[in-house]
Amino acid sequence: MTEYFEVHERDGAARLGAVRLADPVTTPALADPFLDDAGSLWAGDREVPDGDESALTVLPHRSFPAGTRDEVRESFAVDHPDADFPSAAVVDSRSARDLGADAYLLSDAQGFVGHGEAFRDAVVRAKGSLPPDAALGLSGVATPRNVAVLAYAGVDLVDATLARTKGTQGMYLTTDAAHFLEDLDELPCACPACAGPRSEFTRADCADHNVNALRAELRRVRERIRSGRLRDYVEGQARHEGWLTAAFREFDDQWGYLEERTPLMRDAEVTAASAETLDRVEIRRFADRVTSRYRNRFTDQPLVLVPCSATKPYSDSQSHRQFHDAIQWRGHTVSMTSPIGVVPQELETTYPAQHYDSVVTGDWSEDEIEFVAEVLRRYLERNDYSRVVAHVPADGYREICERVERDPAIDVPFEYTCVDHPTTDESLGELNAALRGEPAYSKREREHNTVRGIADFLLGDGAGDDLFGGPGEADVRTTGRYPKLQVWGDDPDAGREGEPGEQLATMVPQYGTLSFTLAGARRWVASDAPTKRVEIDSFVPRGSVLAPGVVDADGDVRVGDEVVVEGPKAFAVGRAAMSGPEMAGSTRGVAVEVRHAEEK
């Protein structure tokens, strides 16, 4: 059971944690100052040290380098004692298992760090076998150039062994390169070790500089994790060395590992500045849910495709207000955008649709065109429209539409209304004319379909109708002003005096999600909509549910998900602060931030 390590924040697989020593240490961190090694059993018998809370004690161990045969590992396996002090166990990535330690150091790190696929496989394998709330450490491999990618993969602890050794060998390390000291006419750093004249800079100074650079890079990584922006940094940082680029791409291919650990929503902006942005979990998750969960309910109107806007949400932009004036609710508006794909109007506030910023040059890459075209194709296969009105400019957007229109699987006519630019009077006139005679939908219909669409996206295919009634049979009311809608049961006698009924949920405009009340949670549990559940022990939560109180949790729960919390004594609703697998396997940390709770 982990006692002395706790995860506080998550940014994909990267984590901001704390080694809970007498002087707590924030991770990812250099472990050298607080690591106390009890020694290797290869050299002889070792006594189990007493240990104390001033250091993380590495228990007596036998290290197995990469490539060691399984029978050798088994023959010389170590029986790790139970420790009542902060402890770390030395294991290898192939046979890592829960030993009750607070941290685990992989002895075969030098065999896989430097090789993208091997690095990915080793980390994913080890993390799948170790407790989710234990720290993972790699020794003898960290440099200022690679430590951001190590942290991105899920590494919590490193040491300065390699950086210091490189310095004594005359290698000057920075975050983007390794320089031969004799090739430097000027030192590109202002740390204390580099403060003197270049002529007096020694290899000992170089070693000190390398450690300073590694320590500074870890500070930068921690701050990036705090702000939810480590991925943006790593997209650039990984390009400084071939194996880092390979490792970065290998982890993108490991969808399940990253998706489970990536929050459903957060405040951080998604910066679309490279081709790898298309592979981000947030982007792929949104596209997948739009094309497999969301269902269009504006069945009497044609689909109107429009370009995205720099202003988010799109409806606040000047261009989209002009589109609205021309459409006048006679068509279902869906925005096309890179890197997300297509964004139905009901999901324009849903993360990351209003949380991204892309580099605008007017030129679309083939990868962008292919990605958006594939999302649009899948969207049209799932949703029925009588026709598509494509009000999009020529560059990129029209090529995407024409590519999808030519697909034999798409049996819906396209017509194009943009002349030169989408917001010219002539173009807007063409758009207005194309929709002449189409019936307009009401504000009430739009609001109902918005909360249904969000429920689809968050909970699963058909959830909106299961929770709030299908088209033409809605059994809810909406009040408030978009995008902060309140959802009420359609029974005025069920609520408090002066209210239109019993409140079920509120739309959260910051993330485009739904927050349920207890009444809404009960309705959710009673419906056919997929329910995300957290089972707790026999207590009534006040404020938060901690991991030790969790008995079990659904495996598809993600950080930020709306969850129902149930136990022998309580029924509650709140937002997940851990993924379901992490809740079930952790012994420390906040599992659910409870919004409402009642005693049974």
Side-chain angles (χ1 to χ4, degrees):
M1 183 173 70
T2 306
E3 290 284 346
Y4 294 96
F5 180 72
E6 184 172 333
V7 180
H8 292 159
E9 296 182 46
R10 297 154 185 83
D11 186 5
R15 312 183 302 181
L16 201 69
V19 183
R20 302 172 62 248
L21 305 176
D23 293 319
V25 178
T26 302
T27 63
L30 277 179
D32 311 59
F34 58 86
L35 211 60
D36 186 5
D37 191 351
S40 171
L41 292 170
W42 291 118
D45 292 336
R46 303 281 183 177
E47 294 292 330
V48 177
D50 293 334
D52 59 51
E53 295 187 6
S54 65
L56 184 65
T57 300
V58 182
L59 300 172
H61 54 85
R62 289 192 183 97
S63 298
F64 298 104
T68 302
R69 292 182 300 178
D70 291 342
E71 56 266 31
V72 175
R73 288 190 180 91
E74 293 169 4
S75 297
F76 293 96
V78 175
D79 292 327
H80 289 79
D82 293 332
D84 57 1
F85 50 83
S87 65
V90 176
V91 297
D92 63 88
S93 61
R94 295 184 62 84
S95 58
R97 65 191 189 282
D98 185 357
L99 300 169
D102 302 288
Y104 295 83
L105 309 179
L106 299 188
S107 63
D108 53 342
Q110 295 180 43
F112 58 74
V113 170
H115 307 275
E117 184 178 3
F119 172 66
R120 179 204 66 186
D121 289 346
V123 171
V124 171
R125 185 167 53 239
K127 297 281 275 192
S129 302
L130 297 172
D133 57 348
L136 179 67
L138 302 185
S139 178
V141 296
T143 68
R145 184 163 47 172
N146 70 23
V147 75
V149 174
L150 301 186
Y152 175 78
V155 175
D156 305 292
L157 300 173
V158 296
D159 63 21
T161 302
L162 181 60
R164 188 173 292 282
T165 299
K166 290 287 188 182
T168 61
Q169 295 171 344
M171 294 297 297
Y172 187 97
L173 306 182
T174 64
T175 57
D176 60 356
H179 305 273
F180 288 107
L181 187 55
E182 56 267 26
D183 292 340
L184 291 175
D185 295 326
E186 187 175 0
L187 300 176
C189 176
C191 75
C194 300
R198 170 66 185 88
S199 59
E200 299 177 7
F201 191 78
T202 67
R203 290 193 173 192
D205 294 327
C206 188
D208 290 342
H209 154 78
N210 288 352
V211 176
N212 288 340
L214 180 56
R215 188 177 291 113
E217 181 69 351
L218 282 164
R219 290 196 190 104
R220 185 177 294 112
V221 166
R222 290 195 294 269
E223 191 54 40
R224 284 280 179 167
I225 296 172
R226 286 188 186 95
S227 62
R229 300 292 298 273
L230 182 61
R231 168 72 187 222
D232 296 339
Y233 181 64
V234 170
E235 283 190 15
Q237 186 64 19
R239 298 184 185 280
H240 294 310
E241 193 171 358
W243 89 266
L244 293 176
T245 305
F248 176 62
R249 291 173 178 171
E250 291 288 351
F251 271 95
D252 274 350
D253 289 339
Q254 196 72 30
W255 164 256
Y257 177 78
L258 288 181
E259 193 279 330
E260 179 183 310
R261 292 163 172 80
T262 300
L264 188 66
M265 62 197 71
R266 47 187 161 179
D267 294 330
E269 177 184 271
V270 174
T271 302
S274 73
E276 282 82 8
T277 300
L278 296 174
D279 293 323
R280 290 182 67 141
V281 167
E282 301 96 320
I283 300 302
R284 293 172 62 188
R285 180 192 278 154
F286 187 92
D288 178 70
R289 291 190 176 196
V290 165
T291 55
S292 66
R293 294 184 175 193
Y294 166 83
R295 179 78 67 181
N296 165 49
R297 295 171 174 84
F298 296 98
T299 54
D300 295 332
Q301 283 80 27
L303 170 62
V304 181
L305 294 174
V306 297
C308 65
S309 66
T311 300
K312 313 291 188 309
Y314 303 136
S315 59
D316 287 348
S317 70
Q318 182 177 355
S319 62
H320 278 245
R321 286 196 293 268
Q322 291 175 291
F323 299 155
H324 167 72
D325 290 343
I327 297 169
Q328 287 295 311
W329 316 112
R330 294 172 296 171
H332 179 222
T333 304
V334 173
S335 299
M336 296 172 59
T337 179
S338 176
I340 292 181
V342 299
V343 182
Q345 63 186 13
E346 303 97 300
L347 301 180
E348 67 166 2
T349 64
T350 300
Y351 185 87
Q354 68 163 332
H355 302 82
Y356 76 97
D357 188 24
S358 56
V359 177
V360 180
T361 63
D363 296 322
W364 289 62
S365 70
E366 175 56 30
D367 287 342
E368 290 177 299
I369 291 173
E370 181 58 32
F371 176 80
V372 179
E374 175 62 15
V375 175
L376 177 58
R377 183 190 65 78
R378 290 169 56 195
Y379 179 85
L380 288 174
E381 284 184 335
R382 178 173 170 80
N383 293 284
D384 294 326
Y385 292 98
S386 59
R387 60 189 175 118
V388 177
V389 178
H391 189 71
V392 294
D395 294 337
Y397 291 101
R398 179 148 183 166
E399 183 177 349
I400 291 167
C401 291
E402 290 175 343
R403 188 175 296 191
V404 174
E405 183 183 12
R406 291 192 298 267
D407 192 312
I410 302 303
D411 186 23
V412 57
F414 278 66
E415 56 187 287
Y416 299 90
T417 57
C418 181
V419 181
D420 187 29
H421 190 275
T423 58
T424 63
D425 290 343
E426 185 176 2
S427 291
L428 294 171
E430 290 290 327
L431 176 59
N432 182 32
L435 297 173
R436 188 172 294 121
E438 293 287 352
Y441 56 84
S442 67
K443 175 184 175 183
R444 178 178 181 274
E445 187 178 2
R446 182 202 175 193
E447 291 179 349
H448 284 189
N449 287 347
T450 294
V451 297
R452 290 189 188 105
I454 293 174
D456 289 344
F457 183 92
L458 294 176
L459 307 180
D461 187 11
D465 292 346
D466 291 334
L467 274 172
F468 305 130
E473 55 183 35
D475 57 354
V476 297
R477 301 181 185 188
T478 54
T479 61
R481 185 173 182 177
Y482 177 84
K484 192 172 183 179
L485 300 174
Q486 291 89 47
V487 186
W488 306 79
D490 196 17
D491 180 1
D493 297 327
R496 293 177 296 186
E497 185 177 352
E499 293 182 344
E502 190 172 38
Q503 187 171 3
L504 305 175
T506 298
M507 180 179 169
V508 182
Q510 184 179 2
Y511 304 115
T513 185
L514 295 174
S515 290
F516 288 99
T517 63
L518 285 173
R522 285 191 292 268
R523 186 183 181 114
W524 181 12
V525 170
S527 75
D528 292 330
T531 307
K532 298 179 185 291
R533 298 174 185 266
V534 176
E535 181 184 352
I536 62 172
D537 216 331
S538 185
F539 66 95
V540 179
R542 299 285 184 249
S544 297
V545 171
L546 302 181
V550 174
V551 175
D552 199 7
D554 288 346
D556 62 347
V557 170
R558 300 292 177 259
V559 175
D561 260 327
E562 194 78 356
V563 293
V564 171
V565 180
E566 291 187 273
K569 291 187 176 180
F571 180 84
V573 65
R575 199 165 296 284
M578 294 179 177
S579 69
E582 190 177 5
M583 288 184 200
S586 295
T587 56
R588 300 199 65 83
V590 175
V592 181
E593 296 171 346
V594 173
R595 186 181 312 108
H596 306 289
E598 65 180 6
E599 188 170 359
K600 289 184 175 179

